[in-house]
Amino acid sequence: MYAFVVFVGLALALAVVGQVLDEVLPVKAPKALSTTITVGVAILGAWAIDYSVFRAFGQSLRADWQNPVVTGIVLVGAGEFLRAVAANMGLSISIGGRDRSKTA
């Protein structure tokens, strides 16, 4: 259970970091480039803290270098999924000067 909570927490934190970087950078990048940068940040973050979601759930990958790479990709996917679920529930996981006139 704790492995899942850590995974969800990291995914949400990565989604917030991605939005902060998108708001702070002076150049507005296309969505595909922004997602690619987020994947890179996720891979570097997973490598820096030596975290593998697959090892946490007792699974192993073929090579050790695959753990942070695939974990970063899965974290970005989970963050986008959680953001979509929250949006469908009427919640907003957004930062910055976006339209906040809608209330839940």
Side-chain angles (χ1 to χ4, degrees):
M1 183 66 183
Y2 292 119
F4 182 72
V5 172
V6 169
F7 173 69
V8 169
L10 283 174
L12 287 175
L14 183 64
V16 170
V17 166
Q19 278 192 331
V20 167
L21 287 176
D22 192 38
E23 291 290 327
V24 170
L25 294 177
V27 177
K28 295 300 174 194
K31 180 71 175 158
L33 182 60
S34 175
T35 303
T36 304
I37 292 170
T38 305
V39 169
V41 168
I43 291 170
L44 288 175
W47 175 76
I49 64 173
D50 193 27
Y51 177 71
S52 171
V53 69
F54 302 101
R55 273 191 263 146
F57 284 106
Q59 302 296 318
S60 61
L61 296 175
R62 291 183 184 178
D64 286 338
W65 66 267
Q66 291 177 338
N67 286 319
V69 172
V70 177
T71 296
I73 294 169
V74 169
L75 283 172
V76 170
E80 291 296 323
F81 173 75
L82 292 172
R83 188 181 309 181
V85 167
N88 283 332
M89 291 179 10
L91 303 173
S92 175
I93 306 175
S94 64
I95 299 172
R98 303 194 196 278
D99 183 23
R100 296 182 185 204
S101 62
K102 293 172 58 175
T103 57

